[in-house]
Amino acid sequence: MIRALAAISLCAGLAACSAEGVSPDTAELRNTWRGNLVPKSSPALMVNAFDRFCTTGPRDDAALRAAGYVPLPERTPGARAYVIDDSRPAVAVSDTMCLVQAESRTGQTTRFQNYVAATYPGARAIDPEPLGRNIEQAWSIPTDPPAIIATERTVSVGWYRYALILFQPGAT
């Protein structure tokens, strides 16, 4: 009898804490460990995510959700950021841009330089300065339409973040 009362009490307590009115995305984002919003991704995870979502695969909501990503609330019209509660990098997409971002880790810069050289043999290094103050490296990519690939390093709360960016100004 005591066990039955305890079970009923537990069920009543859980029912009182319903998630009514909270979307699945909101619930998942609220339970995401804050350190995973921009995680410490390995160089391989960063390059693989960049290749999958920015250069070879579709950069759409369905593909990112199928991979386990959840969209953050939209802050910039036309751009959407996605996060996942593990060590894979954050991904942001728009009609003309795609980027992956993670905390800076050893080996990321070299791994990405090697990726650009292997994937885009016709890539030409360009001056990063006109692209923004945090852009470290940039390459002009002879694709149709022409594109720019760049790396960006920023500081947030004392930690450095590293982003791989594909910018296709002529894309629609």
Side-chain angles (χ1 to χ4, degrees):
M1 180 69 166
I2 293 175
R3 284 186 185 179
L5 287 174
I8 291 170
S9 176
L10 177 63
C11 287
L14 291 175
C17 298
S18 83
E20 189 175 321
V22 174
S23 74
D25 289 346
T26 299
E28 291 177 15
L29 288 171
R30 286 185 183 166
N31 287 338
T32 300
W33 183 57
R34 296 298 169 233
N36 281 344
L37 292 176
V38 180
K40 289 184 175 180
S41 299
S42 71
L45 282 175
M46 280 198 75
V47 168
N48 289 344
F50 184 81
D51 190 60
R52 179 177 180 186
F53 299 117
C54 295
T55 61
T56 60
R59 57 174 103 145
D60 61 12
D61 188 72
L64 286 152
R65 284 181 181 274
Y69 282 85
V70 176
L72 292 173
E74 193 171 325
R75 292 187 181 178
T76 305
R80 200 77 194 254
Y82 293 81
V83 297
I84 191 164
D85 198 8
D86 61 24
S87 62
R88 287 177 281 175
V91 178
V93 297
S94 75
D95 289 341
T96 59
M97 179 272 314
C98 181
L99 72 80
V100 298
Q101 184 181 48
E103 298 290 345
S104 291
R105 303 269 320 261
T106 57
Q108 289 170 333
T109 303
T110 300
R111 180 74 177 242
F112 195 62
Q113 289 169 338
N114 292 340
Y115 169 81
V116 170
T119 308
Y120 301 101
R124 181 178 53 84
I126 60 174
D127 181 11
E129 190 173 330
L131 302 175
R133 68 183 179 108
N134 295 318
I135 302 297
E136 286 188 338
Q137 296 178 294
W139 298 266
S140 174
I141 307 298
T143 56
D144 186 28
I148 294 173
I149 289 184
T151 62
E152 177 184 54
R153 196 162 321 263
T154 56
V155 179
S156 176
V157 194
W159 291 92
Y160 289 95
R161 292 183 174 170
Y162 189 60
L164 313 175
I165 306 164
L166 173 64
F167 181 60
Q168 296 171 303
T172 57

